Amino acid sequence: MADDIEAIKSKRRRAKAALTRISNSLDKPESESFGKVYLQIRIDKLEEIYANFDSVDAKLPVKISEIEQFEKTYFETKAKLQTPLDKINFHMQMKKVNLPMQMKKVNLPMQMNNMASCSFKLPKINIKSFNGKYNDRPAFKDMYVSMIHHNEALSNIQKFHYISELLSDEPATVIKHIPFSEASYIEAWEKCY
């Protein structure tokens, strides 16, 4: 039994050492230039290490479990890897929808889905405004949905800004009295479509 516990502890030490190597590699200056593939591979490896540690540690008595400390380091390390990966994905998504990158000098917040707290000029999007003509509706809606409505990099308040700028005549009148706020975007969107 004692040999089994020592073998389990040895496997646990190897998992902790692997976690420490990844964590320490992120503290080096060159870690700022890691690319998307490298970051994703490291995240995958990190998850594999966690799964191994968890299965090995679960075989030990609760009194000698080290899962809490391991998890603390694991989550800190994963956040250090995930944040730059999110930034890379954000930039790639912005390029995909052909938005000009007028935000290059902005320090992006950790939460990419909360862009409202970031101060920058919204990029101009070239979509022909919609004035309510039935024949123009499908083209406008397709462009708006693909470039703005489904763009997760934009907050609802930014989407509301775009929709209010792109509507004219009767459609603009429909949303004119809706308060300009993050929560009101969905109401404005539903009234237009």
Side-chain angles (χ1 to χ4, degrees):
M1 178 71 175
D3 288 339
D4 289 343
I5 289 180
E6 284 309 310
I8 292 170
K9 284 182 177 180
S10 176
K11 289 178 183 178
R12 189 173 67 178
R13 279 191 299 272
R14 283 197 300 273
K16 285 169 45 179
L19 175 63
T20 301
R21 282 192 303 275
I22 291 175
S23 180
N24 289 344
S25 73
L26 298 174
D27 294 332
K28 297 178 181 173
E30 62 268 16
S31 69
E32 292 179 20
S33 63
F34 292 158
K36 179 179 179 170
V37 173
Y38 179 86
L39 291 168
Q40 190 59 59
I41 290 169
R42 285 302 217 187
I43 288 171
D44 293 344
K45 182 65 176 173
L46 190 65
E47 290 171 355
E48 179 185 318
I49 292 167
Y50 178 82
N52 288 341
F53 183 90
D54 189 40
S55 69
V56 168
D57 192 69
K59 295 175 185 175
L60 294 171
V62 174
K63 286 192 274 185
I64 59 173
S65 173
E66 295 179 358
I67 192 70
E68 286 182 30
Q69 180 59 38
F70 186 86
E71 282 182 339
K72 180 179 183 282
T73 306
Y74 166 78
F75 290 125
E76 288 170 357
T77 305
K78 183 152 185 187
K80 287 181 186 177
L81 288 165
Q82 192 67 51
T83 299
L85 183 60
D86 288 346
K87 287 180 182 180
I88 291 168
N89 288 334
F90 170 77
H91 286 288
M92 291 175 73
Q93 182 178 5
M94 294 299 282
K95 287 179 184 176
K96 187 185 283 186
V97 294
N98 272 336
L99 295 177
M101 290 301 293
Q102 297 177 3
M103 303 180 293
K104 286 182 182 174
K105 295 182 181 174
V106 174
N107 287 329
L108 298 173
M110 286 181 72
Q111 297 294 329
M112 290 293 114
N113 61 352
N114 187 10
M115 293 297 295
S117 64
C118 196
S119 62
F120 62 90
K121 182 179 177 186
L122 287 174
K124 176 147 176 55
I125 296 180
N126 293 319
I127 299 176
K128 185 180 172 190
S129 67
F130 179 65
N131 61 8
K133 289 184 181 173
Y134 183 78
N135 292 341
D136 297 339
R137 186 176 182 275
F140 174 81
K141 184 178 180 187
D142 288 348
M143 290 291 289
Y144 183 85
V145 167
S146 67
M147 294 182 75
I148 298 169
H149 187 68
H150 288 156
N151 186 339
E152 294 177 5
L154 296 173
S155 68
N156 280 351
I157 195 82
Q158 292 167 325
K159 292 174 185 180
F160 199 163
H161 170 78
Y162 279 119
I163 199 166
S164 64
E165 292 293 317
L166 292 170
L167 297 177
S168 63
D169 300 329
E170 185 181 340
T173 308
V174 171
I175 67 164
K176 181 168 77 173
H177 299 291
I178 298 173
F180 194 75
S181 70
E182 182 87 5
S184 298
Y185 169 71
I186 299 301
E187 180 184 350
W189 172 249
E190 289 173 353
K191 284 194 177 191
C192 290
Y193 299 99

PDB file of all heavy atoms in Angstrom, residues 153-183:
ATOM      1  N   ALA A 153     -17.548  40.908 -31.033  1.00  0.00           N
ATOM      2  CA  ALA A 153     -16.568  41.881 -30.563  1.00  0.00           C
ATOM      3  C   ALA A 153     -17.231  43.223 -30.246  1.00  0.00           C
ATOM      4  O   ALA A 153     -16.626  44.068 -29.595  1.00  0.00           O
ATOM      5  CB  ALA A 153     -15.476  42.073 -31.609  1.00  0.00           C
ATOM      6  N   LEU A 154     -18.454  43.413 -30.707  1.00  0.00           N
ATOM      7  CA  LEU A 154     -19.168  44.667 -30.459  1.00  0.00           C
ATOM      8  C   LEU A 154     -20.140  44.495 -29.303  1.00  0.00           C
ATOM      9  O   LEU A 154     -20.836  43.488 -29.208  1.00  0.00           O
ATOM     10  CB  LEU A 154     -19.944  45.097 -31.710  1.00  0.00           C
ATOM     11  CG  LEU A 154     -19.124  45.427 -32.949  1.00  0.00           C
ATOM     12  CD1 LEU A 154     -20.035  45.661 -34.147  1.00  0.00           C
ATOM     13  CD2 LEU A 154     -18.242  46.641 -32.714  1.00  0.00           C
ATOM     14  N   SER A 155     -20.212  45.505 -28.443  1.00  0.00           N
ATOM     15  CA  SER A 155     -21.203  45.488 -27.366  1.00  0.00           C
ATOM     16  C   SER A 155     -22.561  45.883 -27.942  1.00  0.00           C
ATOM     17  O   SER A 155     -22.649  46.410 -29.054  1.00  0.00           O
ATOM     18  CB  SER A 155     -20.791  46.469 -26.265  1.00  0.00           C
ATOM     19  OG  SER A 155     -20.877  47.799 -26.757  1.00  0.00           O
ATOM     20  N   ASN A 156     -23.609  45.676 -27.182  1.00  0.00           N
ATOM     21  CA  ASN A 156     -24.944  46.044 -27.643  1.00  0.00           C
ATOM     22  C   ASN A 156     -25.084  47.547 -27.846  1.00  0.00           C
ATOM     23  O   ASN A 156     -25.783  47.988 -28.754  1.00  0.00           O
ATOM     24  CB  ASN A 156     -26.016  45.523 -26.683  1.00  0.00           C
ATOM     25  CG  ASN A 156     -26.311  44.058 -26.909  1.00  0.00           C
ATOM     26  OD1 ASN A 156     -25.845  43.460 -27.875  1.00  0.00           O
ATOM     27  ND2 ASN A 156     -27.074  43.465 -26.020  1.00  0.00           N
ATOM     28  N   ILE A 157     -24.427  48.342 -27.030  1.00  0.00           N
ATOM     29  CA  ILE A 157     -24.514  49.789 -27.198  1.00  0.00           C
ATOM     30  C   ILE A 157     -23.858  50.219 -28.512  1.00  0.00           C
ATOM     31  O   ILE A 157     -24.337  51.116 -29.207  1.00  0.00           O
ATOM     32  CB  ILE A 157     -23.920  50.555 -25.984  1.00  0.00           C
ATOM     33  CG1 ILE A 157     -24.337  52.025 -25.990  1.00  0.00           C
ATOM     34  CG2 ILE A 157     -22.420  50.478 -25.952  1.00  0.00           C
ATOM     35  CD1 ILE A 157     -25.684  52.274 -25.419  1.00  0.00           C
ATOM     36  N   GLN A 158     -22.768  49.541 -28.886  1.00  0.00           N
ATOM     37  CA  GLN A 158     -22.123  49.836 -30.171  1.00  0.00           C
ATOM     38  C   GLN A 158     -23.012  49.404 -31.327  1.00  0.00           C
ATOM     39  O   GLN A 158     -23.145  50.115 -32.328  1.00  0.00           O
ATOM     40  CB  GLN A 158     -20.761  49.151 -30.241  1.00  0.00           C
ATOM     41  CG  GLN A 158     -19.772  49.747 -29.266  1.00  0.00           C
ATOM     42  CD  GLN A 158     -18.540  48.900 -29.088  1.00  0.00           C
ATOM     43  OE1 GLN A 158     -18.610  47.672 -29.112  1.00  0.00           O
ATOM     44  NE2 GLN A 158     -17.409  49.549 -28.892  1.00  0.00           N
ATOM     45  N   LYS A 159     -23.657  48.260 -31.188  1.00  0.00           N
ATOM     46  CA  LYS A 159     -24.585  47.796 -32.224  1.00  0.00           C
ATOM     47  C   LYS A 159     -25.759  48.767 -32.353  1.00  0.00           C
ATOM     48  O   LYS A 159     -26.213  49.065 -33.459  1.00  0.00           O
ATOM     49  CB  LYS A 159     -25.080  46.385 -31.898  1.00  0.00           C
ATOM     50  CG  LYS A 159     -23.996  45.335 -31.989  1.00  0.00           C
ATOM     51  CD  LYS A 159     -24.505  43.979 -31.523  1.00  0.00           C
ATOM     52  CE  LYS A 159     -23.393  42.959 -31.498  1.00  0.00           C
ATOM     53  NZ  LYS A 159     -23.845  41.642 -31.046  1.00  0.00           N
ATOM     54  N   PHE A 160     -26.245  49.261 -31.209  1.00  0.00           N
ATOM     55  CA  PHE A 160     -27.336  50.223 -31.231  1.00  0.00           C
ATOM     56  C   PHE A 160     -26.902  51.486 -31.973  1.00  0.00           C
ATOM     57  O   PHE A 160     -27.666  52.072 -32.751  1.00  0.00           O
ATOM     58  CB  PHE A 160     -27.767  50.548 -29.807  1.00  0.00           C
ATOM     59  CG  PHE A 160     -29.151  51.160 -29.676  1.00  0.00           C
ATOM     60  CD1 PHE A 160     -29.777  51.156 -28.449  1.00  0.00           C
ATOM     61  CD2 PHE A 160     -29.819  51.735 -30.732  1.00  0.00           C
ATOM     62  CE1 PHE A 160     -31.045  51.713 -28.285  1.00  0.00           C
ATOM     63  CE2 PHE A 160     -31.075  52.295 -30.590  1.00  0.00           C
ATOM     64  CZ  PHE A 160     -31.693  52.288 -29.359  1.00  0.00           C
ATOM     65  N   HIS A 161     -25.685  51.924 -31.722  1.00  0.00           N
ATOM     66  CA  HIS A 161     -25.156  53.093 -32.435  1.00  0.00           C
ATOM     67  C   HIS A 161     -25.191  52.849 -33.948  1.00  0.00           C
ATOM     68  O   HIS A 161     -25.661  53.701 -34.707  1.00  0.00           O
ATOM     69  CB  HIS A 161     -23.732  53.404 -31.982  1.00  0.00           C
ATOM     70  CG  HIS A 161     -23.056  54.421 -32.829  1.00  0.00           C
ATOM     71  ND1 HIS A 161     -23.309  55.774 -32.722  1.00  0.00           N
ATOM     72  CD2 HIS A 161     -22.160  54.289 -33.838  1.00  0.00           C
ATOM     73  CE1 HIS A 161     -22.599  56.419 -33.626  1.00  0.00           C
ATOM     74  NE2 HIS A 161     -21.886  55.546 -34.301  1.00  0.00           N
ATOM     75  N   TYR A 162     -24.701  51.707 -34.375  1.00  0.00           N
ATOM     76  CA  TYR A 162     -24.677  51.409 -35.807  1.00  0.00           C
ATOM     77  C   TYR A 162     -26.074  51.365 -36.401  1.00  0.00           C
ATOM     78  O   TYR A 162     -26.329  51.948 -37.464  1.00  0.00           O
ATOM     79  CB  TYR A 162     -23.969  50.078 -36.075  1.00  0.00           C
ATOM     80  CG  TYR A 162     -22.463  50.188 -36.081  1.00  0.00           C
ATOM     81  CD1 TYR A 162     -21.697  49.476 -35.172  1.00  0.00           C
ATOM     82  CD2 TYR A 162     -21.802  50.989 -37.006  1.00  0.00           C
ATOM     83  CE1 TYR A 162     -20.312  49.552 -35.170  1.00  0.00           C
ATOM     84  CE2 TYR A 162     -20.420  51.080 -37.010  1.00  0.00           C
ATOM     85  CZ  TYR A 162     -19.683  50.365 -36.097  1.00  0.00           C
ATOM     86  OH  TYR A 162     -18.317  50.460 -36.100  1.00  0.00           O
ATOM     87  N   ILE A 163     -27.002  50.686 -35.727  1.00  0.00           N
ATOM     88  CA  ILE A 163     -28.333  50.566 -36.313  1.00  0.00           C
ATOM     89  C   ILE A 163     -29.016  51.930 -36.392  1.00  0.00           C
ATOM     90  O   ILE A 163     -29.678  52.246 -37.372  1.00  0.00           O
ATOM     91  CB  ILE A 163     -29.218  49.512 -35.598  1.00  0.00           C
ATOM     92  CG1 ILE A 163     -30.372  49.111 -36.512  1.00  0.00           C
ATOM     93  CG2 ILE A 163     -29.732  50.010 -34.275  1.00  0.00           C
ATOM     94  CD1 ILE A 163     -31.104  47.872 -36.072  1.00  0.00           C
ATOM     95  N   SER A 164     -28.823  52.766 -35.374  1.00  0.00           N
ATOM     96  CA  SER A 164     -29.458  54.080 -35.407  1.00  0.00           C
ATOM     97  C   SER A 164     -28.848  54.961 -36.501  1.00  0.00           C
ATOM     98  O   SER A 164     -29.533  55.798 -37.086  1.00  0.00           O
ATOM     99  CB  SER A 164     -29.382  54.770 -34.044  1.00  0.00           C
ATOM    100  OG  SER A 164     -28.044  55.032 -33.698  1.00  0.00           O
ATOM    101  N   GLU A 165     -27.570  54.767 -36.814  1.00  0.00           N
ATOM    102  CA  GLU A 165     -26.915  55.524 -37.885  1.00  0.00           C
ATOM    103  C   GLU A 165     -27.285  55.021 -39.274  1.00  0.00           C
ATOM    104  O   GLU A 165     -27.265  55.781 -40.231  1.00  0.00           O
ATOM    105  CB  GLU A 165     -25.392  55.454 -37.718  1.00  0.00           C
ATOM    106  CG  GLU A 165     -24.873  56.184 -36.503  1.00  0.00           C
ATOM    107  CD  GLU A 165     -25.059  57.693 -36.591  1.00  0.00           C
ATOM    108  OE1 GLU A 165     -24.816  58.279 -37.662  1.00  0.00           O
ATOM    109  OE2 GLU A 165     -25.477  58.269 -35.582  1.00  0.00           O
ATOM    110  N   LEU A 166     -27.624  53.746 -39.380  1.00  0.00           N
ATOM    111  CA  LEU A 166     -27.881  53.144 -40.689  1.00  0.00           C
ATOM    112  C   LEU A 166     -29.347  53.169 -41.113  1.00  0.00           C
ATOM    113  O   LEU A 166     -29.667  52.822 -42.247  1.00  0.00           O
ATOM    114  CB  LEU A 166     -27.362  51.696 -40.706  1.00  0.00           C
ATOM    115  CG  LEU A 166     -25.849  51.561 -40.635  1.00  0.00           C
ATOM    116  CD1 LEU A 166     -25.448  50.102 -40.398  1.00  0.00           C
ATOM    117  CD2 LEU A 166     -25.196  52.089 -41.896  1.00  0.00           C
ATOM    118  N   LEU A 167     -30.244  53.555 -40.211  1.00  0.00           N
ATOM    119  CA  LEU A 167     -31.657  53.625 -40.558  1.00  0.00           C
ATOM    120  C   LEU A 167     -32.046  55.065 -40.884  1.00  0.00           C
ATOM    121  O   LEU A 167     -31.563  56.008 -40.263  1.00  0.00           O
ATOM    122  CB  LEU A 167     -32.520  53.113 -39.402  1.00  0.00           C
ATOM    123  CG  LEU A 167     -32.333  51.652 -39.023  1.00  0.00           C
ATOM    124  CD1 LEU A 167     -33.201  51.309 -37.823  1.00  0.00           C
ATOM    125  CD2 LEU A 167     -32.631  50.728 -40.188  1.00  0.00           C
ATOM    126  N   SER A 168     -32.934  55.214 -41.842  1.00  0.00           N
ATOM    127  CA  SER A 168     -33.459  56.543 -42.179  1.00  0.00           C
ATOM    128  C   SER A 168     -34.964  56.440 -42.401  1.00  0.00           C
ATOM    129  O   SER A 168     -35.529  55.342 -42.429  1.00  0.00           O
ATOM    130  CB  SER A 168     -32.760  57.100 -43.419  1.00  0.00           C
ATOM    131  OG  SER A 168     -33.014  56.271 -44.554  1.00  0.00           O
ATOM    132  N   ASP A 169     -35.609  57.579 -42.531  1.00  0.00           N
ATOM    133  CA  ASP A 169     -37.048  57.667 -42.791  1.00  0.00           C
ATOM    134  C   ASP A 169     -37.856  56.867 -41.761  1.00  0.00           C
ATOM    135  O   ASP A 169     -37.632  56.991 -40.557  1.00  0.00           O
ATOM    136  CB  ASP A 169     -37.370  57.233 -44.220  1.00  0.00           C
ATOM    137  CG  ASP A 169     -36.665  58.108 -45.260  1.00  0.00           C
ATOM    138  OD1 ASP A 169     -36.439  59.304 -44.982  1.00  0.00           O
ATOM    139  OD2 ASP A 169     -36.328  57.572 -46.330  1.00  0.00           O
ATOM    140  N   GLU A 170     -38.793  56.034 -42.215  1.00  0.00           N
ATOM    141  CA  GLU A 170     -39.696  55.333 -41.317  1.00  0.00           C
ATOM    142  C   GLU A 170     -38.979  54.393 -40.332  1.00  0.00           C
ATOM    143  O   GLU A 170     -39.282  54.402 -39.136  1.00  0.00           O
ATOM    144  CB  GLU A 170     -40.755  54.555 -42.097  1.00  0.00           C
ATOM    145  CG  GLU A 170     -41.783  53.917 -41.168  1.00  0.00           C
ATOM    146  CD  GLU A 170     -42.835  53.118 -41.934  1.00  0.00           C
ATOM    147  OE1 GLU A 170     -43.015  53.349 -43.141  1.00  0.00           O
ATOM    148  OE2 GLU A 170     -43.456  52.259 -41.310  1.00  0.00           O
ATOM    149  N   PRO A 171     -38.000  53.576 -40.771  1.00  0.00           N
ATOM    150  CA  PRO A 171     -37.322  52.703 -39.797  1.00  0.00           C
ATOM    151  C   PRO A 171     -36.629  53.481 -38.675  1.00  0.00           C
ATOM    152  O   PRO A 171     -36.621  53.053 -37.525  1.00  0.00           O
ATOM    153  CB  PRO A 171     -36.304  51.931 -40.637  1.00  0.00           C
ATOM    154  CG  PRO A 171     -36.849  51.965 -42.025  1.00  0.00           C
ATOM    155  CD  PRO A 171     -37.575  53.279 -42.139  1.00  0.00           C
ATOM    156  N   ALA A 172     -36.064  54.654 -39.003  1.00  0.00           N
ATOM    157  CA  ALA A 172     -35.419  55.477 -37.974  1.00  0.00           C
ATOM    158  C   ALA A 172     -36.443  55.985 -36.971  1.00  0.00           C
ATOM    159  O   ALA A 172     -36.171  56.065 -35.762  1.00  0.00           O
ATOM    160  CB  ALA A 172     -34.672  56.637 -38.618  1.00  0.00           C
ATOM    161  N   THR A 173     -37.630  56.315 -37.448  1.00  0.00           N
ATOM    162  CA  THR A 173     -38.699  56.803 -36.583  1.00  0.00           C
ATOM    163  C   THR A 173     -39.153  55.726 -35.603  1.00  0.00           C
ATOM    164  O   THR A 173     -39.474  56.019 -34.448  1.00  0.00           O
ATOM    165  CB  THR A 173     -39.908  57.274 -37.435  1.00  0.00           C
ATOM    166  OG1 THR A 173     -39.435  58.192 -38.413  1.00  0.00           O
ATOM    167  CG2 THR A 173     -40.953  57.934 -36.582  1.00  0.00           C
ATOM    168  N   VAL A 174     -39.155  54.486 -36.055  1.00  0.00           N
ATOM    169  CA  VAL A 174     -39.602  53.358 -35.213  1.00  0.00           C
ATOM    170  C   VAL A 174     -38.743  53.222 -33.961  1.00  0.00           C
ATOM    171  O   VAL A 174     -39.256  52.923 -32.881  1.00  0.00           O
ATOM    172  CB  VAL A 174     -39.598  52.038 -36.028  1.00  0.00           C
ATOM    173  CG1 VAL A 174     -39.840  50.843 -35.141  1.00  0.00           C
ATOM    174  CG2 VAL A 174     -40.627  52.092 -37.133  1.00  0.00           C
ATOM    175  N   ILE A 175     -37.445  53.463 -34.060  1.00  0.00           N
ATOM    176  CA  ILE A 175     -36.557  53.263 -32.897  1.00  0.00           C
ATOM    177  C   ILE A 175     -36.144  54.576 -32.235  1.00  0.00           C
ATOM    178  O   ILE A 175     -35.429  54.569 -31.240  1.00  0.00           O
ATOM    179  CB  ILE A 175     -35.302  52.445 -33.269  1.00  0.00           C
ATOM    180  CG1 ILE A 175     -34.377  53.200 -34.219  1.00  0.00           C
ATOM    181  CG2 ILE A 175     -35.672  51.076 -33.798  1.00  0.00           C
ATOM    182  CD1 ILE A 175     -32.987  52.627 -34.315  1.00  0.00           C
ATOM    183  N   LYS A 176     -36.594  55.700 -32.780  1.00  0.00           N
ATOM    184  CA  LYS A 176     -36.165  57.018 -32.301  1.00  0.00           C
ATOM    185  C   LYS A 176     -36.445  57.225 -30.812  1.00  0.00           C
ATOM    186  O   LYS A 176     -35.655  57.858 -30.114  1.00  0.00           O
ATOM    187  CB  LYS A 176     -36.858  58.098 -33.133  1.00  0.00           C
ATOM    188  CG  LYS A 176     -36.481  59.510 -32.764  1.00  0.00           C
ATOM    189  CD  LYS A 176     -36.962  60.513 -33.783  1.00  0.00           C
ATOM    190  CE  LYS A 176     -38.445  60.754 -33.620  1.00  0.00           C
ATOM    191  NZ  LYS A 176     -38.916  61.844 -34.483  1.00  0.00           N
ATOM    192  N   HIS A 177     -37.527  56.695 -30.296  1.00  0.00           N
ATOM    193  CA  HIS A 177     -37.925  56.943 -28.907  1.00  0.00           C
ATOM    194  C   HIS A 177     -37.428  55.877 -27.933  1.00  0.00           C
ATOM    195  O   HIS A 177     -37.723  55.954 -26.746  1.00  0.00           O
ATOM    196  CB  HIS A 177     -39.452  57.076 -28.823  1.00  0.00           C
ATOM    197  CG  HIS A 177     -39.961  58.215 -29.654  1.00  0.00           C
ATOM    198  ND1 HIS A 177     -39.712  59.523 -29.335  1.00  0.00           N
ATOM    199  CD2 HIS A 177     -40.657  58.236 -30.816  1.00  0.00           C
ATOM    200  CE1 HIS A 177     -40.248  60.312 -30.246  1.00  0.00           C
ATOM    201  NE2 HIS A 177     -40.834  59.543 -31.164  1.00  0.00           N
ATOM    202  N   ILE A 178     -36.678  54.918 -28.422  1.00  0.00           N
ATOM    203  CA  ILE A 178     -36.110  53.887 -27.538  1.00  0.00           C
ATOM    204  C   ILE A 178     -34.866  54.482 -26.872  1.00  0.00           C
ATOM    205  O   ILE A 178     -34.002  55.039 -27.548  1.00  0.00           O
ATOM    206  CB  ILE A 178     -35.739  52.612 -28.335  1.00  0.00           C
ATOM    207  CG1 ILE A 178     -37.005  52.007 -28.958  1.00  0.00           C
ATOM    208  CG2 ILE A 178     -35.048  51.597 -27.426  1.00  0.00           C
ATOM    209  CD1 ILE A 178     -36.732  50.842 -29.891  1.00  0.00           C
ATOM    210  N   PRO A 179     -34.762  54.387 -25.546  1.00  0.00           N
ATOM    211  CA  PRO A 179     -33.588  54.942 -24.853  1.00  0.00           C
ATOM    212  C   PRO A 179     -32.296  54.304 -25.381  1.00  0.00           C
ATOM    213  O   PRO A 179     -32.236  53.097 -25.599  1.00  0.00           O
ATOM    214  CB  PRO A 179     -33.809  54.576 -23.386  1.00  0.00           C
ATOM    215  CG  PRO A 179     -35.219  54.120 -23.284  1.00  0.00           C
ATOM    216  CD  PRO A 179     -35.678  53.725 -24.638  1.00  0.00           C
ATOM    217  N   PHE A 180     -31.288  55.127 -25.577  1.00  0.00           N
ATOM    218  CA  PHE A 180     -30.008  54.661 -26.102  1.00  0.00           C
ATOM    219  C   PHE A 180     -29.216  54.022 -24.962  1.00  0.00           C
ATOM    220  O   PHE A 180     -28.563  54.695 -24.176  1.00  0.00           O
ATOM    221  CB  PHE A 180     -29.247  55.843 -26.710  1.00  0.00           C
ATOM    222  CG  PHE A 180     -28.090  55.437 -27.554  1.00  0.00           C
ATOM    223  CD1 PHE A 180     -28.285  54.921 -28.824  1.00  0.00           C
ATOM    224  CD2 PHE A 180     -26.797  55.566 -27.091  1.00  0.00           C
ATOM    225  CE1 PHE A 180     -27.225  54.549 -29.609  1.00  0.00           C
ATOM    226  CE2 PHE A 180     -25.716  55.185 -27.875  1.00  0.00           C
ATOM    227  CZ  PHE A 180     -25.932  54.677 -29.129  1.00  0.00           C
ATOM    228  N   SER A 181     -29.297  52.689 -24.858  1.00  0.00           N
ATOM    229  CA  SER A 181     -28.599  51.982 -23.785  1.00  0.00           C
ATOM    230  C   SER A 181     -28.256  50.567 -24.235  1.00  0.00           C
ATOM    231  O   SER A 181     -28.794  50.062 -25.225  1.00  0.00           O
ATOM    232  CB  SER A 181     -29.461  51.907 -22.522  1.00  0.00           C
ATOM    233  OG  SER A 181     -30.547  51.038 -22.720  1.00  0.00           O
ATOM    234  N   GLU A 182     -27.370  49.935 -23.476  1.00  0.00           N
ATOM    235  CA  GLU A 182     -26.935  48.568 -23.750  1.00  0.00           C
ATOM    236  C   GLU A 182     -28.141  47.613 -23.798  1.00  0.00           C
ATOM    237  O   GLU A 182     -28.264  46.804 -24.693  1.00  0.00           O
ATOM    238  CB  GLU A 182     -25.948  48.132 -22.653  1.00  0.00           C
ATOM    239  CG  GLU A 182     -25.364  46.773 -22.819  1.00  0.00           C
ATOM    240  CD  GLU A 182     -24.115  46.762 -23.677  1.00  0.00           C
ATOM    241  OE1 GLU A 182     -23.628  47.820 -24.083  1.00  0.00           O
ATOM    242  OE2 GLU A 182     -23.645  45.659 -23.965  1.00  0.00           O
ATOM    243  N   ALA A 183     -29.035  47.755 -22.827  1.00  0.00           N
ATOM    244  CA  ALA A 183     -30.179  46.848 -22.710  1.00  0.00           C
ATOM    245  C   ALA A 183     -31.229  47.081 -23.795  1.00  0.00           C
ATOM    246  O   ALA A 183     -31.981  46.173 -24.136  1.00  0.00           O
ATOM    247  CB  ALA A 183     -30.818  47.002 -21.336  1.00  0.00           C
TER     248      ALA A 183
END
